[in-house]
Amino acid sequence: AQRVTQPEKLLSVFKGAPVELKCNYSYSGSPELFWYVQYSRQRLQLLLRHISRESIKGFTADLNKGETSFHLKKPFAQEEDSAMYYCALSGSKNGNQFYFGTGTSLTVIP
Amino acid sequence: ETGVTQSPTHLIKTRGQQVTLRCSSQSGHNTVSWYQQALGQGPQFIFQYYREEENGRGNFPPRFSGLQFPNYSSELNVNALELDDSALYLCASSLGVATNEKLFFGSGTQLSVL
């Protein structure tokens, strides 16, 4: 069964500390992996996708197919990183259906 | 370039009623997907429309139905509302149906079923 697991509902780190938001997935095929973010009073928006291999706002994510993980990392957290983060995967088995995790609420403490 | 807009922002209905939610896609996007987000959960896929045809459906009963119009605006209809239908309904448009497409979300419609 297709599933995205984010084990931490809440995560707090101090400003300047490294942050890692965990994401594990299960999918019978080759999925595309994404991180979406929702800042306070804003709509859900794409942060990054693994196919682009990009760094956005200092965040990176590496797809580890062996561990079926796609953890989001940033070496030095900033206060403006406080938000809700959703890991998501998409596959072509049923339209372009996205499966979202339950989200991790990140708080960066000044 | 306009973003994805949804209406209404909030809605209160009673059990057994029917509801229609509306979405206007971002300019140039021919694909729209609808998601249900219950409190404390991630968005859950309801269905997707591509060029006015249903292009995939999640694990939702037939009383959840949709339409996409030639101008790429869309509707989500829910019949025989149940208490568990109370949730935030999100519309997301994209340029196409490739698996690596970026989704552009609306702000959602908060539906409360009493």
Side-chain angles (χ1 to χ4, degrees), chain A residues 36 43 49 86 90 94-96, chain B residues 4 37 55 57 98-100:
Chain A
Y36 278 81
R43 60 188 65 190
R49 43 188 164 181
Y86 293 94
S90 74
N94 182 21
N96 182 14
Chain B
V4 179
Q37 186 173 19
N55 186 51
R57 188 178 182 91
T99 55
N100 60 0

Side-chain angles (χ1 to χ4, degrees), chain A residues 36-53:
Chain A
Y36 278 81
V37 62
Q38 187 166 27
Y39 300 103
S40 179
R41 288 183 290 278
Q42 294 187 27
R43 60 188 65 190
L44 196 57
Q45 59 186 284
L46 177 68
L47 178 62
L48 57 79
R49 43 188 164 181
H50 93 270
I51 194 170
S52 302
R53 301 188 184 279

Side-chain angles (χ1 to χ4, degrees), chain B residues 22-25 29 32 34 49 52 67-75:
Chain B
R22 294 181 173 82
C23 172
S24 178
S25 296
H29 288 187
V32 65
W34 284 90
Y49 278 80
E52 303 173 54
L67 282 172
Q68 187 184 30
F69 302 101
N71 65 355
Y72 300 135
S73 64
S74 65
E75 289 181 353

Side-chain angles (χ1 to χ4, degrees), chain B residues 98-111:
Chain B
T99 55
N100 60 0
E101 287 288 351
K102 175 181 177 180
L103 298 180
F104 292 78
F105 283 90
S107 298
T109 294
Q110 185 67 53
L111 173 65

Side-chain angles (χ1 to χ4, degrees), chain A residues 13-108:
Chain A
V13 300
F14 285 100
K15 178 182 174 181
V19 62
E20 181 178 55
L21 289 81
K22 291 184 167 52
C23 172
N24 288 88
Y25 68 91
S26 63
Y27 187 78
S28 55
S30 296
E32 302 286 345
L33 274 295
F34 304 78
W35 278 96
Y36 278 81
V37 62
Q38 187 166 27
Y39 300 103
S40 179
R41 288 183 290 278
Q42 294 187 27
R43 60 188 65 190
L44 196 57
Q45 59 186 284
L46 177 68
L47 178 62
L48 57 79
R49 43 188 164 181
H50 93 270
I51 194 170
S52 302
R53 301 188 184 279
E54 57 201 345
S55 173
I56 303 294
K57 299 185 179 182
F59 284 98
T60 59
D62 291 321
L63 178 60
N64 186 324
K65 293 184 178 181
E67 296 183 358
T68 59
S69 68
F70 189 57
H71 303 326
L72 183 67
K73 301 177 183 179
K74 184 170 183 177
F76 308 104
Q78 302 298 314
E79 290 179 63
E80 55 265 30
D81 296 329
S82 295
M84 192 73 175
Y85 291 81
Y86 293 94
C87 182
L89 71 80
S90 74
S92 59
K93 294 185 178 181
N94 182 21
N96 182 14
Q97 178 173 353
F98 275 68
Y99 298 88
F100 285 83
T102 52
T104 297
S105 178
L106 174 66
T107 300
V108 180

